[in-house]
Structures are given as C-alpha cells and as structure tokens.
Amino acid sequence: MIFQSCADYLAPHLGVPEGPLPVDPISGERPEPEPVEGCAQCARLAEGRDRAKYLRDWSFVTDFNIMIRQHPDHGNI
C-alpha cells in the first residue's frame, strides 16, 4: 500500500487534529503552550517544564508541553 501523506494511515479515533499544526515559520517548531492563569495544575506543569529546561532534558520538556496542551479542564490549547 502506498501512502500519499501521513494522514492516510493515522487512525482518526486517536484524536489527530485536522489540518496543519501551527508552527513557527522560521524554526518550524510549535510554540510552547502557556499555563492558564490561576490554575494550580498548570502552574505545577510549567514549573516542571522549567526544571526540565534547566536540566536540559528536552524529552521531559516536550512531555510537559504535551501535558499543558492536553490539560483536561482547559481542553487543547
């Protein structure tokens, strides 16, 4: 089977967003999500992300960004 794009083989039930993801036109990266003001869980996640940056653990930085984006009380941001 030949795939025309990655969207051809992604399962739609996994919640993959439609269309292109927002990216920085220069670096090609998604901007980091901002924690929601006044939310204690978002503040803890942002603090963890800052610690991971300090330790240069980019895998954990990415994990914290995903957790902030998918925070259940705020939807995908």
Side-chain angles (χ1 to χ4, degrees), residues 28-46:
E29 296 178 5
R30 290 181 73 182
E32 283 192 337
E34 292 296 321
V36 174
E37 184 103 16
C39 176
Q41 180 65 19
C42 284
R44 283 192 293 273
L45 292 171

Side-chain angles (χ1 to χ4, degrees), residues 17 21-24 27-32 69 77:
L21 296 173
V23 296
D24 181 329
S27 69
E29 296 178 5
R30 290 181 73 182
E32 283 192 337
R69 279 192 187 99
I77 53 174

Side-chain angles (χ1 to χ4, degrees), residues 41-62:
Q41 180 65 19
C42 284
R44 283 192 293 273
L45 292 171
E47 183 180 321
R49 178 178 63 189
D50 291 343
R51 274 186 266 142
K53 284 181 185 178
Y54 177 77
L55 297 171
R56 297 178 186 223
D57 189 336
W58 307 117
S59 177
F60 271 135
V61 171
T62 300

